[in-house]
Amino acid sequence: MKPGLIWTLVRTDFKARYHGTMGGFVWALLKPMSMFVVLMGVFSFLFAGNPLYKLNLIVGLFLWDFFAEGTKSGLTSLHARGYLLTKARVPSWILVVTSMSNAVITLAVFSLVIVVFLIAAGRAPSFVALLAFASYGLALMAIVAGFSLAASALFLRFRDLNQVWEVALQAGFFLAPIIYPLEILPERFHFYLYIWPPTPVIEFSRSVLVRGVLPTLRGHTYLAIDAGICLLVGIVIFRRLSPRAAEYV
Amino acid sequence: MTERQASAGRPIIEVEAVSKSFMIPSVQRTTVREHLLGIFERRGFQKLQVLDKVSFAVERGEALGIMGRNGTGKSTLLKILCGVYLPDEGRVTARAEITPVLELGVGWNPELDAVDNVMIVGSVMGLTLTEIRRGLDEILGFAELERFANLKLKHYSSGMSQRLGYAVAFKAMRDVLILDEIFAVGDVGFRARCETRYRELRAAGHTAIIVSHDPRVIATFCDRALLLDGGKIVQEGPANDIADRYVSTLTAQ
């Protein structure tokens, strides 16, 4: 463990990305916000019968943005920090895990925005709901971390993996029930959608934040196992590939 | 009893029968697309044996030089010593902290300024952030880069970034200093400062491993040296002898 290195990587990542200003950080928030405005303009007519559509949409978009940004920067993290990997002995998992930091900061700010949004909409979430939401956030982080560990090591060997992932993300955006309510699909498809990791996180978060309903124990168990498997598989692949990562940078 | 006491008397670094080869594919495939398209085609590999059962030991407080022509495995050997590469076979036992300056650099992020880069590289080398902040002026002063502290590394000349690399390494120095082509950088003044600092470190009992093409450097700064050729140690002995031998192998061709 190198706390000094972890902190410096997080700090400089933020600095390089946003030019060290809060003004730069606003751009990170603006992206999903503008998406929200556009999509709301279009789809709130389509789903006019659903008064919660707006809130569901913003929760879904924020969580999706974290997933997309986190996995994208995680995938290229070892390559982007190859300058350290080839010159000294570095605990390489630190390079991967800290690459999530910008997405985590954005998610944290988003979460505040969502809560403000909910209070403004007269639906202040309970303490239990917030606690549940926080745990879904952690599950999503575990999923992103697992993906990043595996993908960052694989990316060094397969240099078009980032483009493959871009395509997958584009399809995945529509596979997850973000712009449409899950209910418009026949029940028998729901199970398949839940295999795509962002789906349970988004659906459960909506359930506790927007509707104020706690998902079933079965649902929670499923998400915990899902996140656990993602993280574990990521760690296993990373442990196999990372010792030789420096040779592929 | 500390580890250091326990290892007293034993070599500080032991390299036992280390081999390393790289597979050079006849057709390079680095993308998913190429792998998918070529799934039914066999591709040939050429094995490039870079190091072949290399064994040696470095004693505490010693300065070891490694010489050899281009492509004889010097840099690969250093990377294995530092733990950047894994050996295919054999074992490296390091009983101390190693501070490397490989291939004239320590790994800079071009998008960050000198201060942030020093923070990153310094903490990789084992300094705490407080130590780095306290030593920052000294590091920048040594590299004569005080005026460029807030300039992004991408605007640095190669000489400037190399000077900064040495300055950090000399500051972060723990037990063993590994230098690839030291004293090949900077102007006369900087070289002289490096040499002084190097002698100070050696006088304080630090161990050093130096790779160089320059027989003068090896003869001046090392006690003992190895001559590598074709991935093997062809001669080992006092630095002066190896430097002479290296010159004669070059002139013989």
Side-chain angles (χ1 to χ4, degrees):
Chain A
M1 283 296 279
K2 296 194 172 200
L5 178 63
I6 293 176
W7 167 245
T8 310
L9 285 173
V10 169
R11 186 178 60 78
T12 53
D13 237 32
F14 186 86
K15 190 170 170 179
R17 180 91 181 245
Y18 305 120
H19 305 285
T21 62
M22 280 318 283
F25 184 61
V26 170
W27 290 111
L29 302 176
L30 220 54
K31 203 179 117 199
M33 273 311 252
S34 62
M35 265 295 253
F36 169 68
V37 171
V38 171
L39 289 172
M40 192 181 67
V42 176
F43 287 98
S44 54
F45 289 106
L46 191 60
F47 301 108
N50 187 347
L52 298 178
Y53 180 76
K54 228 187 324 187
L55 293 172
N56 279 334
L57 180 65
I58 199 163
V59 171
L61 278 176
F62 281 172
L63 289 168
W64 174 261
D65 190 68
F66 170 74
F67 179 75
E69 291 300 317
T71 52
K72 273 194 278 185
S73 57
L75 183 114
T76 52
S77 56
L78 278 189
H79 180 250
R81 286 157 173 188
Y83 64 90
L84 285 176
L85 216 50
T86 53
K87 300 285 186 180
R89 185 163 165 175
V90 201
S92 46
W93 65 269
I94 290 180
L95 306 183
V96 179
V97 174
T98 53
S99 74
M100 279 170 63
S101 60
N102 272 334
V104 173
I105 294 168
T106 316
L107 181 68
V109 176
F110 280 164
S111 303
L112 280 177
V113 173
I114 290 176
V115 173
V116 170
F117 227 78
L118 288 168
I119 293 171
R123 299 181 151 269
S126 68
F127 180 68
V128 178
L130 287 176
L131 215 61
F133 176 59
S135 67
Y136 306 149
L138 284 179
L140 191 56
M141 282 178 209
I143 290 165
V144 172
F147 172 88
S148 301
L149 285 169
S152 61
L154 286 167
F155 179 58
L156 296 177
R157 287 155 214 238
F158 304 101
R159 288 305 173 86
D160 55 353
L161 214 54
N162 56 341
Q163 294 175 45
V164 175
W165 186 241
E166 286 277 353
V167 175
L169 277 179
Q170 196 133 52
F173 179 73
F174 294 99
L175 192 60
I178 298 165
I179 55 168
Y180 59 89
L182 189 63
E183 295 74 41
I184 65 166
L185 292 175
E187 186 92 35
R188 63 199 151 91
F189 289 133
H190 289 192
F191 174 76
Y192 298 104
L193 290 185
Y194 267 87
I195 295 177
W196 178 228
T199 305
V201 175
I202 291 173
E203 279 301 300
F204 289 3
S205 301
R206 284 171 173 169
S207 182
V208 292
L209 288 180
V210 180
R211 291 195 299 278
V213 180
L214 211 59
T216 59
L217 182 65
R218 218 173 117 220
H220 281 144
T221 315
Y222 171 76
L223 181 59
I225 292 174
D226 197 15
I229 288 175
C230 281
L231 191 58
L232 204 70
V233 170
I235 290 173
V236 168
I237 293 178
F238 190 73
R239 286 181 66 107
R240 273 193 75 91
L241 298 181
S242 68
R244 292 191 184 273
E247 292 171 28
Y248 288 88
V249 170
Chain B
M1 194 160 66
T2 67
E3 202 177 325
R4 186 174 295 219
Q5 285 165 332
S7 65
R10 280 150 73 199
I12 198 161
I13 294 176
E14 262 180 293
V15 178
E16 294 160 81
V18 163
S19 294
K20 181 77 184 171
S21 60
F22 292 103
M23 298 302 263
I24 313 289
S26 53
V27 186
Q28 190 83 23
R29 281 184 203 150
T30 55
T31 64
V32 174
R33 184 181 58 82
E34 285 162 356
H35 277 272
L36 287 178
L37 291 178
I39 203 160
F40 297 115
E41 284 168 42
R42 283 180 66 100
R43 76 183 158 147
F45 280 95
Q46 201 191 342
K47 192 175 176 186
L48 184 69
Q49 190 77 37
V50 181
L51 292 174
D52 190 5
K53 296 201 172 54
V54 171
S55 300
F56 63 91
V58 186
E59 301 297 331
R60 192 173 289 278
E62 184 183 33
L64 179 75
I66 300 175
M67 299 199 83
R69 287 174 295 141
N70 281 327
T72 50
K74 300 187 301 292
S75 292
T76 306
L77 180 59
L78 284 196
K79 285 191 172 177
I80 290 175
L81 286 179
C82 302
V84 171
Y85 284 176
L86 281 183
D88 294 341
E89 288 165 46
R91 206 156 54 120
V92 174
T93 315
R95 299 192 176 88
E97 290 284 329
I98 294 175
T99 306
V101 184
L102 298 176
E103 292 166 322
L104 299 175
V106 290
W108 302 122
N109 181 345
E111 292 302 320
L112 296 173
D113 64 22
V115 175
D116 284 332
N117 266 300
V118 168
M119 291 278 186
I120 292 179
V121 170
S123 50
V124 166
M125 288 180 171
L127 293 175
T128 66
L129 292 185
T130 324
E131 285 172 326
I132 300 171
R133 271 187 221 105
R134 280 205 203 111
L136 197 57
D137 289 340
E138 190 190 325
I139 291 170
L140 291 170
F142 188 89
E144 288 180 54
L145 292 168
E146 297 98 331
R147 285 192 301 134
F148 306 103
N150 297 316
L151 188 66
K152 284 184 183 174
L153 259 285
K154 64 180 172 188
H155 301 302
Y156 269 46
S157 73
S158 58
M160 286 160 80
S161 57
Q162 285 165 11
R163 263 157 37 207
L164 191 59
Y166 281 105
V168 181
F170 281 144
K171 180 74 196 168
M173 176 71 196
R174 292 283 145 120
D175 298 307
V176 183
L177 187 62
I178 288 192
L179 299 167
D180 197 349
E181 286 299 345
I182 196 208
F183 312 136
V185 297
D187 46 33
V188 181
F190 182 74
R191 266 212 300 276
R193 253 198 332 281
C194 275
E195 294 186 9
T196 311
R197 182 78 180 114
Y198 175 81
R199 287 182 204 284
E200 282 168 14
L201 289 170
R202 296 274 299 115
H206 287 293
T207 311
I209 299 175
I210 295 179
V211 158
S212 183
H213 280 116
D214 187 346
R216 188 194 67 86
V217 166
I218 297 291
T220 315
F221 298 104
C222 301
D223 311 320
R224 197 161 62 88
L226 312 171
L227 184 59
L228 276 181
D229 195 19
K232 290 184 176 152
I233 297 177
V234 291
Q235 203 185 343
E236 193 174 346
N240 282 320
D241 298 355
I242 300 297
D244 290 345
R245 164 83 188 268
Y246 176 70
V247 175
S248 62
T249 54
L250 284 186
T251 46
Q253 282 169 3

